[in-house]
Amino acid sequence: MSKKPTIKQKLSKPRSKRRFAVWVHKIQERLIKRINLVKCDKCGSPRLSHTPCRTCGYYRGRQIIKMKEPELKKTTKVKV
Ligand SMILES: [Zn+2]
């Protein structure tokens, strides 16, 4: 005999999808509670505590990681 309880009927696709979505949401909430996010002093984006910011590379007022300069957007042709 199986140790797990067996399902009696096959679940429909939307029903199983819904159940999976609820499960994913629960897991995400649990993970978010565990991770301690703080705001970056310089740019204000969320970062992990005790780690340099991923977007600007600053930690405690000093630049730790050298970040690449953002590429300039391709300019559209100007009509003359
Ligand atoms: Zn930052």
Side-chain angles (χ1 to χ4, degrees):
M1 282 181 70
S2 62
K3 289 178 184 176
K4 281 183 183 178
T6 52
I7 50 168
K8 284 177 183 174
Q9 261 186 328
K10 185 191 172 186
L11 290 175
S12 64
K13 266 189 185 177
R15 201 165 172 186
S16 51
K17 268 189 177 179
R18 202 187 313 143
R19 199 173 60 181
F20 180 68
V22 168
W23 178 80
V24 165
H25 185 72
K26 265 187 195 175
I27 297 288
Q28 278 177 342
E29 279 197 342
R30 244 185 258 169
L31 284 173
I32 288 167
K33 276 181 189 174
R34 280 191 191 176
I35 297 167
N36 191 18
L37 287 174
V38 285
K39 262 191 179 180
C40 174
D41 296 330
K42 201 173 184 219
C43 64
S45 62
R47 65 170 176 86
L48 290 170
S49 59
H50 305 286
T51 52
C53 179
R54 292 264 173 160
T55 49
C56 61
Y58 269 72
Y59 181 66
R60 291 191 136 200
R62 285 194 305 154
Q63 186 151 31
I64 309 277
I65 307 165
K66 282 182 183 175
M67 306 303 285
K68 284 178 186 175
E69 287 179 17
E71 289 177 26
L72 292 170
K73 284 179 187 175
K74 284 175 186 175
T75 52
T76 52
K77 285 177 184 176
V78 181
K79 286 174 188 174
V80 179

